[in-house]
Amino acid sequence: MTAHFDVIVIGGGHAGAEAAAAAARMGARTALLTHRSDTIGEMSCNPAIGGLGKGHLVREIDALDGLMARAADRAGIQFRLLNRSKGPAVRGPRAQADRKLYRKAMQTAIADQPNLSVVVGSAHGLQLRDGRVTGVICEDDRVFCCSAVVLTTGTFLNGLIHIGDRRIPAGRHGEPPSRGFSEQLAAAGLKLGRLKTGTPARLDGRTIAWNRLEEQKGDADPVPFSFMTSTIETPQLSCYITHTTAQGHRLIRDNMHRSPLYSGQIEGLGPRYCPSIEDKVQRFRDKESHQVFLEPEGLDDDTVYPNGISTSLPEDVQEGFIRSMPGLEEVVIKRWGYAIEYDYVDPRELTAALEVKKLPGLFLAGQINGTTGYEEAAAQGLIAGANAARKAVGQSPFVLDRSSAYIGVMIDDLVTRGVAEPYRMFTSRAEYRLSLRADNADLRLTPIGIAAGLVGGSRQAAFRTRENAVRSGLDLVRSLTLSTGEAARKGLKVNQDGLRRSALDMLGMAEIGWSGVTRLWPQLQELRPDVVEALEAEALYTGYLQRQEADIAALRKEEQLTLPSGLDYDAMPSLSAELRQKLAAVRPATLGQAARIDGMTPTALVVVLGHVRRNGRQNAA
């Protein structure tokens, strides 16, 4: 049996769902090939979306008409805006989600997407012709032909679960790994490696002494992820906090030799910023306890996720240290924690469009690129899917740069620097985070998405309404002014310099703020909450943003200096052998990307640019 599509997406996780939907929104005839349709949108680990840095990615996915934010809004059972007391640039929306509701929302969105077909089957390998991807071969010998493929294998690529000394070939709990792709990718000359992640045990909430634990409530006024969501309608639940104990730590230390992380059984590196409980106990020996957040997995599900104690220790040790925690003395463990190793491709094998350089037509997204987290995977999936659709019709790539989006920061980090451990998004990774805020993701990216054909009609209309409201709000607060004398008579402490100050100026003064300007100009109380949020950010950062614009202009100038893909770095003897090797491995598309390679120096950039210009003059002659 042979079927034809423009784009085939392999894998129905967070990367695959966004890739398939994005390709279909672009008008490509798209197939989402998954071994089980009922696991599309499955939250394999923590049932939560967003957080610091990650919440920015979700808002950017939403601004480009992706699915994750809307699914999270429908499934969210506890919303919290992290860093609420800090500046808008570092606030991060987060939501605990009901696993079943999230999966249902994602599957409904996929089913409702025009141009998209879900095909159930297990992909075995890629069909190649003259070094280019032309289709997908299934284990049952079905062949699906296409112009582009997006591969989103998650932790399934030669996945291996570890619990103590037990090893179980699996992509995740209860599901077989993906075989064949690693060998085919390696045979094509791609550099592969092994990474590791982990998950904690799952607990039976009916056996937890909740009355002994600290309650953590969500926000009283839940902030949605999606710019399309007006209110959160799902009932909200509390989480609870317990902590590990000295007794539990002793048990872990006494059994460290039984942990595959420390016995040498696991080869792959795990995420530094999400360490296992073994790592925490070993690395932070002076700490007698660590917080553990007990998070519900659903409104009608008694399963509890103990966030903070991922582990690969044997079952008896897991039971012992878990029951040493307050409130968990009699807890029943529904599923054991485990570590999982899997193959990944060095992301420096990819272009900024997430296309494999050595296999045109093949795009990679998610953990196969060395990242960790639902949000990072989904963001890559959206970009890979959009570019696969553009590849199918011969259009130029859709690329976001570092000054436009956190998505651009992440992808540039991956394809330029590679990874030594699973990559996680943080706000600190962005040079221009004052302008890359969660609150303005749509104002930054939706127009770009519209121009690329990635944003549907209903979102375009909603965006125009919001854009006009923000613009009108800015015009209004700039037009309302007071002289220094008028301000003094109203009891406001401002410099007596004779200058008139606008409502926007005063909004940026901590001692006045929104409550102060609305007392001066009551008509401002009629502005929408999302508009007020945008005005507050503008007032707070306006001076910094003006200076940042110069830096962004310099970056974009560097990005316009393209480098030939076949540039011979060995013909530049002035460069060190190390830099020649790094440049040849990354093959930067622009001088700006070359500048971000680890160890690159200004002198070396001058050498590269001089070589390109000399060759350009020679070719012109």
Side-chain angles (χ1 to χ4, degrees):
M1 173 185 173
T2 302
H4 296 265
F5 295 93
D6 296 321
V7 174
I8 296 175
V9 178
I10 300 173
H14 302 281
E18 293 292 353
R25 288 200 305 278
M26 301 282 283
R29 288 176 298 118
T30 305
L32 175 57
L33 179 59
T34 177
H35 66 294
R36 284 177 55 185
S37 60
D38 63 346
T39 60
I40 291 173
E42 182 69 56
M43 306 181 90
S44 305
C45 193
N46 187 9
I49 295 292
L52 302 180
K54 292 172 175 284
H56 290 71
L57 288 177
V58 180
R59 284 280 177 86
E60 291 182 352
I61 292 166
D62 185 66
L64 294 169
D65 215 7
L67 310 180
M68 178 171 271
R70 283 173 285 171
D73 286 344
R74 291 185 178 92
I77 53 178
Q78 189 196 80
F79 286 80
R80 295 178 64 214
L81 184 62
L82 306 184
N83 279 348
R84 186 185 283 267
S85 64
K86 297 184 179 180
V90 293
R91 291 174 190 159
R94 183 188 188 274
Q96 192 70 22
D98 180 305
R99 286 187 188 276
K100 286 187 284 189
L101 290 178
Y102 186 89
R103 195 166 56 234
K104 179 181 177 182
M106 190 61 71
Q107 290 173 14
T108 299
I110 292 293
D112 291 345
Q113 176 62 55
N115 302 319
L116 177 55
S117 302
V118 174
V119 178
V120 176
S122 296
H124 178 69
L126 302 169
Q127 179 176 267
L128 305 175
R129 183 175 300 137
D130 299 326
R132 177 186 172 83
V133 175
T134 59
V136 177
I137 303 167
C138 291
E139 288 183 353
D140 59 8
D141 296 327
R142 285 181 296 170
V143 177
F144 297 98
C145 297
C146 60
S147 299
V149 171
V150 183
L151 186 58
T152 69
T153 51
T155 59
F156 280 72
L157 204 59
N158 283 340
L160 184 64
I161 282 177
H162 298 261
I163 305 176
D165 60 2
R166 286 200 297 141
R167 305 184 191 190
I168 308 163
R172 62 183 168 215
H173 176 75
E175 298 184 49
S178 175
R179 307 285 195 190
F181 283 111
S182 290
E183 292 76 9
Q184 192 172 22
L185 296 173
L190 274 64
K191 182 181 177 183
L192 276 69
R194 295 283 277 176
L195 290 175
K196 166 260 171 190
T197 189
T199 191
R202 302 299 194 273
L203 311 179
D204 187 335
R206 295 168 298 182
T207 61
I208 294 173
W210 297 107
N211 61 335
R212 298 183 53 209
L213 301 176
E214 177 187 348
E215 184 178 11
Q216 182 188 54
K217 294 184 177 181
D219 292 341
D221 52 341
V223 176
F225 279 106
S226 178
F227 295 100
M228 300 284 282
T229 302
S230 56
T231 57
I232 299 299
E233 298 178 354
T234 306
Q236 300 295 286
L237 300 180
S238 292
C239 295
Y240 290 80
I241 300 173
T242 185
H243 56 269
T244 60
T245 63
Q247 175 191 346
H249 288 198
R250 281 195 300 273
L251 182 62
I252 291 169
R253 289 195 189 97
D254 290 345
N255 288 275
M256 200 69 79
H257 62 285
R258 300 176 66 193
S259 167
L261 288 172
Y262 288 88
S263 67
Q265 183 173 308
I266 291 179
E267 301 172 6
L269 288 174
R272 184 192 324 173
Y273 304 103
C274 188
S276 67
I277 188 60
E278 299 99 294
D279 280 333
K280 289 180 181 179
V281 169
Q282 189 76 354
R283 285 162 49 188
F284 308 108
R285 288 181 168 269
D286 57 326
K287 292 199 68 171
E288 291 195 356
S289 71
H290 298 277
Q291 274 193 332
V292 178
F293 296 89
L294 301 178
E295 300 170 339
E297 294 204 350
L299 295 172
D300 60 355
D301 188 345
D302 294 313
T303 307
V304 172
Y305 182 95
N307 193 345
I309 55 169
S310 68
T311 184
S312 59
L313 284 162
E315 291 96 327
D316 61 312
V317 183
Q318 290 190 42
E319 183 173 35
F321 82 73
I322 289 172
R323 287 190 167 186
S324 73
M325 291 187 271
L328 305 184
E329 292 87 353
E330 304 296 328
V331 74
V332 172
I333 296 173
K334 300 180 74 170
R335 197 179 85 194
W336 302 109
Y338 62 82
I340 184 167
E341 276 188 294
Y342 54 93
D343 289 348
Y344 79 102
V345 174
D346 186 334
R348 290 173 294 186
E349 300 281 7
L350 309 177
T351 69
L354 298 180
E355 184 176 19
V356 177
K357 298 171 186 174
K358 295 171 183 172
L359 288 173
L362 176 63
F363 297 79
L364 307 182
Q367 285 173 286
I368 192 173
N369 291 340
T371 60
T372 183
Y374 307 147
E375 303 84 0
E376 290 87 348
Q380 292 171 72
L382 187 149
I383 298 300
N387 279 309
R390 293 175 76 89
K391 182 80 173 184
V393 294
Q395 293 180 328
S396 59
F398 175 71
V399 175
L400 299 172
D401 65 32
R402 298 183 72 89
S403 66
S404 300
Y406 273 90
I407 295 174
V409 172
M410 173 180 65
I411 292 176
D412 184 68
D413 282 348
L414 292 172
V415 304
T416 302
R417 297 169 180 157
V419 297
E421 62 187 57
Y423 179 99
R424 179 179 177 177
M425 177 50 67
F426 294 102
T427 55
S428 58
R429 295 190 188 274
E431 301 90 334
Y432 311 112
R433 56 184 177 273
L434 295 186
S435 56
L436 303 185
R437 305 187 307 275
D439 67 89
N440 70 353
D442 61 334
L443 300 174
R444 287 185 280 116
L445 295 180
T446 303
I448 298 173
I450 292 172
L454 193 52
V455 176
S458 59
R459 185 176 294 273
Q460 288 188 39
F463 170 71
R464 297 302 181 202
T465 299
R466 174 170 142 81
E467 183 183 41
N468 290 335
V470 172
R471 186 181 296 117
S472 298
L474 277 170
D475 290 342
L476 179 59
V477 293
R478 285 170 176 154
S479 67
L480 300 172
T481 63
L482 283 178
S483 68
T484 54
E486 290 170 328
R489 285 192 293 274
K490 291 181 179 291
L492 300 177
K493 295 180 180 179
V494 297
N495 290 335
Q496 296 299 305
D497 49 17
L499 298 176
R500 293 190 72 84
R501 286 177 172 79
S502 69
L504 184 64
D505 296 328
M506 294 185 179
L507 183 57
M509 299 176 186
E511 63 275 16
I512 298 177
W514 184 248
S515 60
V517 297
T518 52
R519 283 197 302 270
L520 293 170
W521 295 285
Q523 64 267 42
L524 294 177
Q525 295 177 7
E526 299 176 7
L527 295 177
R528 293 170 19 175
D530 62 313
V531 173
V532 174
E533 184 181 26
L535 300 183
E536 288 177 324
E538 180 71 20
L540 183 62
Y541 295 132
T542 183
Y544 301 103
L545 290 171
Q546 289 169 1
R547 292 194 291 273
Q548 199 172 85
E549 283 300 318
D551 295 333
I552 292 173
L555 170 75
R556 289 184 170 157
K557 185 177 180 181
E558 283 188 333
E559 296 298 336
Q560 290 171 358
L561 295 171
T562 58
L563 302 177
S565 59
L567 200 55
D568 184 5
Y569 294 103
D570 287 333
M572 305 178 199
S574 300
L575 295 177
S576 68
E578 180 186 7
L579 284 180
R580 289 201 301 271
Q581 185 179 29
K582 287 183 176 180
L583 285 161
V586 175
R587 297 232 155 256
T590 68
L591 192 69
Q593 187 184 359
R596 294 188 290 276
I597 294 175
D598 288 338
M600 188 57 61
T601 66
T603 302
L605 291 173
V606 170
V607 171
V608 172
L609 186 57
H611 181 88
V612 171
R613 285 174 172 167
R614 283 195 301 276
N615 281 10
R617 287 195 294 269
Q618 291 169 6
N619 293 337

mmCIF file of all heavy atoms in Angstrom, residues 91 93 100 125 144 156 162 168 270 291 295 315 389 414 430 462 483 525 560-561 572 590 600:
data_model
loop_
_atom_site.group_PDB
_atom_site.id
_atom_site.type_symbol
_atom_site.label_atom_id
_atom_site.label_comp_id
_atom_site.label_asym_id
_atom_site.label_seq_id
_atom_site.Cartn_x
_atom_site.Cartn_y
_atom_site.Cartn_z
ATOM 1 N N ARG A 91 8.203 37.297 34.326
ATOM 2 C CA ARG A 91 7.025 36.581 34.802
ATOM 3 C C ARG A 91 6.756 35.392 33.877
ATOM 4 O O ARG A 91 6.903 35.493 32.668
ATOM 5 C CB ARG A 91 5.802 37.499 34.816
ATOM 6 C CG ARG A 91 5.888 38.584 35.869
ATOM 7 C CD ARG A 91 4.729 39.553 35.758
ATOM 8 N NE ARG A 91 4.939 40.721 36.613
ATOM 9 C CZ ARG A 91 4.339 41.887 36.452
ATOM 10 N NH1 ARG A 91 3.453 42.035 35.459
ATOM 11 N NH2 ARG A 91 4.592 42.900 37.255
ATOM 12 N N PRO A 93 3.879 32.323 33.130
ATOM 13 C CA PRO A 93 2.635 31.607 33.414
ATOM 14 C C PRO A 93 2.876 30.100 33.505
ATOM 15 O O PRO A 93 3.660 29.536 32.744
ATOM 16 C CB PRO A 93 1.739 31.952 32.219
ATOM 17 C CG PRO A 93 2.677 32.337 31.122
ATOM 18 C CD PRO A 93 3.881 32.920 31.782
ATOM 19 N N LYS A 100 -6.091 13.852 31.423
ATOM 20 C CA LYS A 100 -7.125 13.411 30.478
ATOM 21 C C LYS A 100 -7.715 14.590 29.715
ATOM 22 O O LYS A 100 -7.960 14.507 28.501
ATOM 23 C CB LYS A 100 -8.214 12.629 31.221
ATOM 24 C CG LYS A 100 -7.778 11.239 31.645
ATOM 25 C CD LYS A 100 -8.911 10.425 32.223
ATOM 26 C CE LYS A 100 -9.252 10.839 33.617
ATOM 27 N NZ LYS A 100 -10.201 9.929 34.293
ATOM 28 N N GLY A 125 11.412 3.298 9.123
ATOM 29 C CA GLY A 125 12.554 3.970 8.519
ATOM 30 C C GLY A 125 12.119 4.971 7.478
ATOM 31 O O GLY A 125 10.925 5.144 7.193
ATOM 32 N N PHE A 144 4.495 5.485 2.804
ATOM 33 C CA PHE A 144 3.820 6.771 2.624
ATOM 34 C C PHE A 144 4.821 7.724 1.974
ATOM 35 O O PHE A 144 5.860 8.048 2.567
ATOM 36 C CB PHE A 144 3.347 7.327 3.967
ATOM 37 C CG PHE A 144 2.319 6.467 4.639
ATOM 38 C CD1 PHE A 144 2.686 5.567 5.624
ATOM 39 C CD2 PHE A 144 0.982 6.541 4.265
ATOM 40 C CE1 PHE A 144 1.742 4.764 6.245
ATOM 41 C CE2 PHE A 144 0.031 5.742 4.887
ATOM 42 C CZ PHE A 144 0.405 4.843 5.869
ATOM 43 N N PHE A 156 11.688 7.853 22.602
ATOM 44 C CA PHE A 156 11.459 6.517 22.042
ATOM 45 C C PHE A 156 12.651 5.991 21.233
ATOM 46 O O PHE A 156 12.730 4.796 20.977
ATOM 47 C CB PHE A 156 10.209 6.520 21.157
ATOM 48 C CG PHE A 156 8.927 6.444 21.927
ATOM 49 C CD1 PHE A 156 8.480 7.534 22.656
ATOM 50 C CD2 PHE A 156 8.160 5.297 21.937
ATOM 51 C CE1 PHE A 156 7.296 7.483 23.370
ATOM 52 C CE2 PHE A 156 6.971 5.230 22.652
ATOM 53 C CZ PHE A 156 6.539 6.321 23.368
ATOM 54 N N HIS A 162 15.410 2.370 33.169
ATOM 55 C CA HIS A 162 16.221 1.798 34.245
ATOM 56 C C HIS A 162 15.481 1.939 35.571
ATOM 57 O O HIS A 162 15.092 3.045 35.960
ATOM 58 C CB HIS A 162 17.556 2.540 34.370
ATOM 59 C CG HIS A 162 18.431 2.450 33.151
ATOM 60 N ND1 HIS A 162 19.473 1.556 33.045
ATOM 61 C CD2 HIS A 162 18.419 3.160 31.998
ATOM 62 C CE1 HIS A 162 20.070 1.725 31.875
ATOM 63 N NE2 HIS A 162 19.446 2.685 31.220
ATOM 64 N N ILE A 168 14.626 -2.072 30.852
ATOM 65 C CA ILE A 168 13.419 -2.400 30.100
ATOM 66 C C ILE A 168 13.415 -1.577 28.808
ATOM 67 O O ILE A 168 13.282 -0.343 28.865
ATOM 68 C CB ILE A 168 12.148 -2.078 30.917
ATOM 69 C CG1 ILE A 168 12.225 -2.723 32.294
ATOM 70 C CG2 ILE A 168 10.895 -2.513 30.161
ATOM 71 C CD1 ILE A 168 11.253 -2.130 33.290
ATOM 72 N N GLY A 270 21.996 13.576 32.189
ATOM 73 C CA GLY A 270 20.657 14.038 32.497
ATOM 74 C C GLY A 270 20.595 15.552 32.603
ATOM 75 O O GLY A 270 21.618 16.238 32.561
ATOM 76 N N GLN A 291 12.280 20.349 49.208
ATOM 77 C CA GLN A 291 10.825 20.454 49.030
ATOM 78 C C GLN A 291 10.343 19.479 47.968
ATOM 79 O O GLN A 291 11.011 19.246 46.954
ATOM 80 C CB GLN A 291 10.448 21.876 48.617
ATOM 81 C CG GLN A 291 10.243 22.824 49.777
ATOM 82 C CD GLN A 291 9.570 24.113 49.350
ATOM 83 O OE1 GLN A 291 9.687 24.559 48.212
ATOM 84 N NE2 GLN A 291 8.849 24.723 50.276
ATOM 85 N N GLU A 295 1.373 17.129 43.389
ATOM 86 C CA GLU A 295 0.533 17.751 42.357
ATOM 87 C C GLU A 295 -0.502 16.756 41.839
ATOM 88 O O GLU A 295 -0.149 15.661 41.381
ATOM 89 C CB GLU A 295 1.420 18.243 41.210
ATOM 90 C CG GLU A 295 2.445 19.262 41.679
ATOM 91 C CD GLU A 295 3.501 19.611 40.649
ATOM 92 O OE1 GLU A 295 3.719 18.814 39.715
ATOM 93 O OE2 GLU A 295 4.117 20.683 40.784
ATOM 94 N N GLU A 315 12.863 -0.496 43.618
ATOM 95 C CA GLU A 315 11.550 -0.261 44.191
ATOM 96 C C GLU A 315 11.569 -0.191 45.717
ATOM 97 O O GLU A 315 10.900 0.659 46.324
ATOM 98 C CB GLU A 315 10.567 -1.366 43.758
ATOM 99 C CG GLU A 315 10.204 -1.326 42.285
ATOM 100 C CD GLU A 315 11.043 -2.277 41.443
ATOM 101 O OE1 GLU A 315 12.228 -2.476 41.803
ATOM 102 O OE2 GLU A 315 10.537 -2.814 40.439
ATOM 103 N N ALA A 389 6.284 22.188 5.502
ATOM 104 C CA ALA A 389 5.256 22.596 4.540
ATOM 105 C C ALA A 389 5.833 23.530 3.488
ATOM 106 O O ALA A 389 5.507 23.423 2.293
ATOM 107 C CB ALA A 389 4.101 23.267 5.282
ATOM 108 N N LEU A 414 20.694 25.727 19.908
ATOM 109 C CA LEU A 414 20.834 24.315 19.557
ATOM 110 C C LEU A 414 21.710 24.119 18.333
ATOM 111 O O LEU A 414 22.663 23.329 18.354
ATOM 112 C CB LEU A 414 19.458 23.700 19.306
ATOM 113 C CG LEU A 414 18.523 23.565 20.512
ATOM 114 C CD1 LEU A 414 17.137 23.120 20.059
ATOM 115 C CD2 LEU A 414 19.090 22.593 21.534
ATOM 116 N N ALA A 430 18.196 34.649 26.912
ATOM 117 C CA ALA A 430 17.864 35.663 25.906
ATOM 118 C C ALA A 430 18.566 36.982 26.209
ATOM 119 O O ALA A 430 18.509 37.479 27.334
ATOM 120 C CB ALA A 430 16.353 35.880 25.852
ATOM 121 N N ALA A 462 -9.020 38.290 16.070
ATOM 122 C CA ALA A 462 -8.844 38.577 17.503
ATOM 123 C C ALA A 462 -7.587 39.411 17.727
ATOM 124 O O ALA A 462 -7.570 40.325 18.571
ATOM 125 C CB ALA A 462 -8.766 37.279 18.288
ATOM 126 N N SER A 483 1.429 69.242 34.281
ATOM 127 C CA SER A 483 2.640 70.034 34.529
ATOM 128 C C SER A 483 3.168 69.688 35.921
ATOM 129 O O SER A 483 2.469 69.075 36.731
ATOM 130 C CB SER A 483 2.318 71.524 34.457
ATOM 131 O OG SER A 483 1.484 71.888 35.553
ATOM 132 N N GLN A 525 -9.719 53.606 33.830
ATOM 133 C CA GLN A 525 -10.252 52.391 34.453
ATOM 134 C C GLN A 525 -11.042 51.539 33.459
ATOM 135 O O GLN A 525 -11.290 50.355 33.709
ATOM 136 C CB GLN A 525 -11.126 52.745 35.647
ATOM 137 C CG GLN A 525 -10.367 53.414 36.787
ATOM 138 C CD GLN A 525 -11.278 53.827 37.925
ATOM 139 O OE1 GLN A 525 -12.458 53.506 37.929
ATOM 140 N NE2 GLN A 525 -10.737 54.554 38.892
ATOM 141 N N GLN A 560 22.456 39.573 8.361
ATOM 142 C CA GLN A 560 22.296 39.775 6.924
ATOM 143 C C GLN A 560 23.554 39.415 6.146
ATOM 144 O O GLN A 560 23.517 39.280 4.919
ATOM 145 C CB GLN A 560 21.904 41.234 6.649
ATOM 146 C CG GLN A 560 20.486 41.562 7.106
ATOM 147 C CD GLN A 560 20.178 43.049 7.039
ATOM 148 O OE1 GLN A 560 21.030 43.855 6.693
ATOM 149 N NE2 GLN A 560 18.955 43.411 7.394
ATOM 150 N N LEU A 561 24.703 39.268 6.860
ATOM 151 C CA LEU A 561 25.958 38.892 6.197
ATOM 152 C C LEU A 561 25.996 37.372 6.096
ATOM 153 O O LEU A 561 26.426 36.660 6.998
ATOM 154 C CB LEU A 561 27.154 39.417 7.000
ATOM 155 C CG LEU A 561 27.274 40.947 7.082
ATOM 156 C CD1 LEU A 561 28.340 41.353 8.079
ATOM 157 C CD2 LEU A 561 27.609 41.509 5.700
ATOM 158 N N MET A 572 41.663 28.677 5.525
ATOM 159 C CA MET A 572 41.907 29.877 6.332
ATOM 160 C C MET A 572 42.941 29.549 7.409
ATOM 161 O O MET A 572 42.609 29.319 8.578
ATOM 162 C CB MET A 572 40.597 30.362 6.988
ATOM 163 C CG MET A 572 39.468 30.606 5.996
ATOM 164 S SD MET A 572 37.938 31.120 6.829
ATOM 165 C CE MET A 572 36.728 30.768 5.545
ATOM 166 N N THR A 590 25.203 32.593 8.792
ATOM 167 C CA THR A 590 25.469 34.027 8.787
ATOM 168 C C THR A 590 26.679 34.334 9.664
ATOM 169 O O THR A 590 27.100 33.510 10.494
ATOM 170 C CB THR A 590 24.267 34.817 9.328
ATOM 171 O OG1 THR A 590 24.119 34.524 10.732
ATOM 172 C CG2 THR A 590 22.980 34.469 8.592
ATOM 173 N N MET A 600 34.630 31.609 19.654
ATOM 174 C CA MET A 600 34.870 32.503 18.512
ATOM 175 C C MET A 600 35.379 33.855 19.001
ATOM 176 O O MET A 600 34.931 34.365 20.031
ATOM 177 C CB MET A 600 33.568 32.676 17.715
ATOM 178 C CG MET A 600 33.736 33.434 16.406
ATOM 179 S SD MET A 600 34.930 32.692 15.281
ATOM 180 C CE MET A 600 34.176 31.092 15.007
#
